[in-house]
Amino acid sequence: MKTYDDNNIFAKILRGEIPNDTVYEDDHVLAFRDINPQAPVHVLVIPKGAYVDMTDFSANASDAELTAYFRALAKIANLLGVEDDGYRLISNTGKNGEQDVPHLHVHIAGGRRLRRMLQPSED
Ligand code: AMP
């Protein structure tokens, strides 16, 4: 099992040590705009609990955390106005998934037609 790193940037956001552009918050979930948006709408949705990635979260989160998280994803897409035209949810996991921040996050990307996924690796 991967060890959670308390010094990752999203842990610092959750502790209020780094500012963020919040779009949604409840007891279990925080959602904020990506600092380097790849689409007109690009929001990151994170659980408040300390989970490295989706593997960790799905195995170890409580039922309340799991329910709150997945209900929030759809609610936030609706709040962002991307529900009708569609959007993409992405959760990069680990090295091959190109995950940069080791705190579970799902990207919500939308607001334009997105390209097809999974370009070949450059290396
Ligand atoms: P990933 O590569 O899936 O781990 O995505 C990490 C995402 O976090 C990237 O899209 C970054 O632009 C974003 N990011 C990094 N630091 C911040 C920050 N301080 N506030 C908002 N988004 C951030």
Side-chain angles (χ1 to χ4, degrees):
M1 199 167 89
K2 294 172 199 157
T3 311
Y4 184 81
D5 171 12
D6 273 324
N7 284 319
N8 78 75
I9 198 145
F10 295 167
K12 291 179 181 175
I13 284 177
L14 284 168
R15 290 196 295 268
E17 295 167 10
I18 292 179
N20 73 94
D21 186 357
T22 298
V23 298
Y24 174 86
E25 182 167 16
D26 66 28
D27 288 348
H28 293 292
V29 179
L30 179 69
F32 51 91
R33 293 195 189 276
D34 195 293
I35 205 166
N36 183 22
Q38 306 293 311
V41 174
H42 187 173
V43 162
L44 302 170
V45 183
I46 68 173
K48 290 187 173 176
Y51 299 101
V52 176
D53 56 20
M54 192 63 85
T55 309
D56 182 17
F57 186 64
S58 64
N60 299 310
S62 68
D63 289 354
E65 289 173 307
L66 289 164
T67 303
Y69 192 68
F70 287 102
R71 289 212 196 284
L73 285 174
K75 196 184 294 180
I76 295 160
N78 177 271
L79 282 175
L80 294 169
V82 295
E83 190 182 82
D84 287 350
D85 286 341
Y87 55 93
R88 186 170 290 159
L89 301 179
I90 303 164
S91 191
N92 297 322
T93 303
K95 179 167 66 71
N96 281 359
E98 299 280 3
Q99 180 180 8
D100 289 327
V101 181
H103 180 112
L104 169 63
H105 48 286
V106 167
H107 300 250
I108 299 180
R112 68 167 165 80
R113 194 77 187 265
L114 301 169
R115 298 224 183 103
R116 292 202 179 276
M117 294 177 58
L118 302 180
Q119 302 303 315
S121 167
E122 284 162 14
D123 52 37

